[in-house]
Amino acid sequence: MGVSSLLTDLLYPPACLLCHAPRPAAGSPRGAGVICQGCAARLMPSGPPVCARCGVGVPGAFDAVMECRACRQRPPAFDAARAPWAYTDAAREAVHRFKYQRRWRLGRWLASEMASAAAAAFPVEEVSAVLPVPQHWLTRRLRGFHGAGRLAEAVARSLGKPCLTSALRCRRRTATQSRLPWRARVRNVRGAFAANQRLVRHRTVLLVDDVLTSGATADACARALKAAGVR
């Protein structure tokens, strides 16, 4: 640790970015993260066992290949989805602070954990590009921030892959998914995305979003990408 880092820790003692409790300095073995041990304990890891397609927990299922009931009844267009944690408690709080309070350090930490989850679950050596779930241009203009884009860029850097931010676009402005019931979410994003065939054809891509709940948005994006020739 350099002198400047020591002075920074002395003047501004490291604090958890969620609960603001003191946490170990960055140079100590326990201080590599940005949240305290108490908040880390509130993170609920995503399985195993999990659905082989959408990654949701499948309690009590121990078959060689497991799929949840929803994926069996209506298989999504994406091949597999994974997340570091279930979207509850500390994970939900971290995502909200990153998205709505622009906490960049939390975003970098979230992206690092997402990249680790991807490397553990997917054959990332076959991935040729990372893409963010796109935001409609008007929404991006009004908010001035595209959380999925920031995360995708950081995930791409961690995995050593290019990030193609213009490969997938949102053709029409949609309602906020979190405010809609499941069936309405599917209708809301159906046909809302289009992929640039020149950029994605014959590629294997990793799609990044900040949250996966019903999977409707990821499914709609995957359908557009596969229609454009994504493997």
Side-chain angles (χ1 to χ4, degrees), residues 66 91 167:
M66 300 169 288

Side-chain angles (χ1 to χ4, degrees), residues 7 21 43-44 48 50 58 77 97 99 101 106 108 118 121 128 130 138 140 153 160 165 176 178 200 207 212 222:
L7 287 173
L43 295 169
M44 185 182 298
V50 297
V58 188
R97 292 202 180 195
K99 286 180 66 173
Q101 299 179 19
L106 271 177
R108 288 192 294 270
S128 55
V130 176
L138 181 57
R140 186 166 59 251
E153 290 170 354
T165 56
T176 301
S178 61
V200 301
L207 183 69
L212 180 86

Side-chain angles (χ1 to χ4, degrees), residues 6 22 26 39 46 50 65 68 75 97 103 111 118 126-127 142 164 184 193 209 216 227:
L6 287 170
C39 288
S46 296
V50 297
V65 177
C68 68
R97 292 202 180 195
R103 299 296 177 89
E126 298 177 12
V127 172
L142 293 173
L164 304 181
F193 304 101
D209 204 358

Side-chain angles (χ1 to χ4, degrees), residues 75 90 92 115 153 166 175 208:
R92 184 193 300 269
E153 290 170 354
S166 61
V208 173

Side-chain angles (χ1 to χ4, degrees), residues 129-135 140 146 149 152-153 162-171 193-200 203 205 207 225 228:
V130 176
L131 280 62
V133 167
Q135 197 175 54
R140 186 166 59 251
H146 184 202
E153 290 170 354
C163 184
L164 304 181
T165 56
S166 61
L168 189 63
R169 65 183 178 87
C170 186
R171 298 194 292 190
F193 304 101
N196 185 324
Q197 187 179 62
R198 181 180 59 83
L199 292 178
V200 301
R203 286 180 180 263
V205 302
L207 183 69
L225 288 165

Side-chain angles (χ1 to χ4, degrees), residues 22-141:
R23 62 176 180 82
S28 70
R30 297 183 297 128
V34 296
I35 65 173
C36 67
Q37 291 180 333
C39 288
R42 293 191 292 125
L43 295 169
M44 185 182 298
S46 296
V50 297
C51 172
R53 291 295 288 270
C54 71
V56 71
V58 188
F62 299 100
D63 296 337
V65 177
M66 300 169 288
E67 285 195 354
C68 68
R69 182 179 179 182
C71 287
R72 289 197 304 269
Q73 292 180 342
R74 187 179 184 275
F78 53 80
D79 296 290
R82 293 294 184 273
W85 317 285
Y87 187 53
T88 60
D89 208 330
R92 184 193 300 269
E93 186 178 350
V95 170
H96 277 220
R97 292 202 180 195
F98 165 62
K99 286 180 66 173
Y100 303 118
Q101 299 179 19
R102 316 287 172 87
R103 299 296 177 89
W104 309 122
R105 290 177 62 201
L106 271 177
R108 288 192 294 270
W109 171 71
L110 289 168
S112 175
E113 296 293 324
M114 293 168 77
S116 296
F122 304 142
V124 292
E125 67 279 358
E126 298 177 12
V127 172
S128 55
V130 176
L131 280 62
V133 167
Q135 197 175 54
H136 190 266
W137 68 268
L138 181 57
T139 302
R140 186 166 59 251
R141 178 74 62 85

